[in-house]
C-alpha cells in the first residue's frame, strides 16, 4: 500500500466519522481543522505528481518544475468544478468512460516513465544552464494531464464533495473556497518541492547522480502507471 493510498484512507475515516457532521461543516474550528488536514494529507502524499515535478526540476530547472506544479493545480481546479456539478459521479458510474480514463492515465504515466529512462544521461551540466528545447507550456501540460487523468484523484473528490455539498446549496460558497484551498495547496507544495531540489546546496549532489535519479523517476512513473491500470 502506497502513502497515497494511506492518505486517502485517513481522509475517508475523517469524512465518515459520525462525530463530525460535514453536511454542516465550516461551522466549528474543529471541523475546519479536520478539512484542512485532509487537504494537506492529500497534497504531501508522494505519488506520480511528486515524481513528475522532481523529474522536470532536476532535468530542466526550477521554472520547469514550478510550471509542472501550476499544471497540477489547474487540474485540481477541473476536478473541483466537475465534482461540484455532479459530473464526476456520472463518470464513475459509467464503466466504459471511467475505464478509458483509467487506462489513458496509466498509459501517459508509463510513456513519461519510459521517456525519462531512455533520455537519462550523466552529463555534469548545471540544471539551470541546460539548453531547453522544450516549450515552457509543455511542462504545464504534463502536470495538468498527469493529475487530470488520475482516477484515484477523481474518486477522492467524489467522496469528499458528496459529503460537503448540500442539496439546498447553502454551503456551496464555502465548498468552493475549500476547493480553491486544495488547488492552491497543490501549487504551493509542488513549487516548494521544485525550489528545494534545484537549490544550490543540492545541485552539486544531484548532478552527480542525475542519470540514476532520472532512471529512478522513470521507474517510479512506470510503476504508478502499471498499478493504476491493474487496480479496480
Amino acid at each position: 500500500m502506497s502513502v497515497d493510498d494511506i492518505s486517502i484512507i485517513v481522509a475517508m475515516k475523517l469524512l465518515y466519522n459520525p462525530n463530525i457532521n460535514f453536511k454542516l461543516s465550516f461551522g466549528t474550528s474543529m471541523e475546519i481543522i479536520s478539512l484542512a488536514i485532509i487537504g494537506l494529507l492529500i497534497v504531501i502524499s508522494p505519488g506520480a505528481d511528486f515524481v513528475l515535478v522532481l523529474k522536470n526540476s532536476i532535468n530542466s530547472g526550477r521554472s520547469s518544475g514550478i510550471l509542472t506544479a501550476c499544471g497540477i493545480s489547474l487540474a485540481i481546479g477541473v476536478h473541483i468544478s466537475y465534482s461540484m456539478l455532479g459530473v464526476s459521479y456520472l463518470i464513475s458510474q459509467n464503466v466504459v468512460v471511467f475505464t478509458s480514463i483509467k487506462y489513458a492515465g496509466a498509459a501517459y504515466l508509463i510513456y513519461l516513465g519510459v521517456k525519462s529512462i531512455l533520455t537519462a544521461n550523466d552529463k555534469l551540466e548545471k540544471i539551470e544552464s541546460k539548453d531547453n528545447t522544450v516549450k515552457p507550456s509543455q511542462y504545464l501540460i504534463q502536470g495538468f494531464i498527469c493529475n487530470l487523468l488520475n482516477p484515484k484523484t477523481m474518486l477522492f473528490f467524489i467522496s469528499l464533495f458528496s459529503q460537503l455539498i448540500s442539496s439546498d446549496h447553502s454551503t456551496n460558497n464555502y465548498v468552493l473556497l475549500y476547493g480553491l484551498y486544495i488547488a492552491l495547496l497543490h501549487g504551493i507544495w509542488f513549487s516548494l518541492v521544485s525550489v528545494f531540489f534545484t537549490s544550490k546546496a543540492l545541485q552539486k549532489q544531484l548532478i552527480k547522480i542525475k542519470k540514476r535519479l532520472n532512471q529512478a523517476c522513470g521507474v517510479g512513473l512506470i510503476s504508478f502507471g502499471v498499478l493504476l491500470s491493474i487496480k479496480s
Side-chain angles (χ1 to χ4, degrees):
M1 181 179 291
S2 68
V3 179
D4 192 29
D5 292 327
I6 294 172
S7 69
I8 291 178
I9 291 172
V10 173
M12 291 303 99
K13 285 185 177 296
L14 284 171
L15 282 172
Y16 294 105
N17 185 338
N19 296 321
I20 301 176
N21 184 3
F22 280 90
K23 290 295 184 181
L24 298 175
S25 59
F26 309 105
T28 69
S29 58
M30 179 58 74
E31 289 165 351
I32 293 173
I33 291 172
S34 297
L35 287 169
I37 291 173
I38 290 172
L40 191 60
L41 283 172
I42 295 305
V43 172
I44 66 175
S45 299
D49 292 337
F50 180 90
V51 176
L52 183 61
V53 170
L54 174 60
K55 181 183 80 69
N56 286 346
S57 296
I58 64 174
N59 281 300
S60 303
R62 181 173 298 174
S63 60
S64 300
I66 292 176
L67 281 171
T68 306
C70 290
I72 293 169
S73 188
L74 288 174
I76 294 297
V78 175
H79 287 304
I80 293 164
S81 298
Y82 65 57
S83 293
M84 291 191 69
L85 294 172
V87 177
S88 57
Y89 178 77
L90 296 178
I91 292 175
S92 69
Q93 297 303 304
N94 188 312
V95 177
V96 175
V97 174
F98 186 77
T99 302
S100 298
I101 292 174
K102 182 177 75 171
Y103 286 121
Y108 187 67
L109 290 178
I110 293 172
Y111 161 74
L112 290 176
V114 171
K115 184 179 179 181
S116 180
I117 292 174
L118 294 179
T119 59
N121 64 73
D122 52 6
K123 292 181 180 179
L124 299 179
E125 55 194 344
K126 288 185 178 180
I127 293 173
E128 294 292 349
S129 65
K130 181 181 178 181
D131 288 333
N132 192 357
T133 57
V134 181
K135 294 181 179 179
S137 59
Q138 186 71 25
Y139 301 109
L140 185 75
I141 293 171
Q142 284 183 5
F144 182 79
I145 295 177
C146 180
N147 187 275
L148 186 67
L149 294 182
N150 190 337
K152 289 170 69 176
T153 304
M154 180 187 297
L155 289 174
F156 172 76
F157 277 101
I158 293 172
S159 301
L160 179 64
F161 279 76
S162 65
Q163 294 297 306
L164 295 177
I165 297 175
S166 61
S167 58
D168 61 0
H169 307 292
S170 60
T171 63
N172 284 7
N173 288 336
Y174 295 104
V175 174
L176 179 59
L177 287 174
Y178 179 64
L180 292 174
Y181 159 76
I182 294 180
L184 187 61
L185 266 185
H186 276 79
I188 293 173
W189 168 251
F190 288 116
S191 292
L192 289 175
V193 168
S194 179
V195 169
F196 176 74
F197 282 102
T198 54
S199 63
K200 290 183 179 180
L202 279 180
Q203 243 187 61
K204 291 181 180 179
Q205 299 303 319
L206 289 177
I207 288 174
K208 293 177 182 178
I209 59 171
K210 183 182 174 186
K211 183 175 182 178
R212 290 185 180 180
L213 196 55
N214 267 304
Q215 291 172 335
C217 287
V219 171
L221 288 169
I222 292 172
S223 299
F224 282 119
V226 172
L227 289 173
L228 194 62
S229 65
I230 64 177
K231 283 188 176 182
S232 59

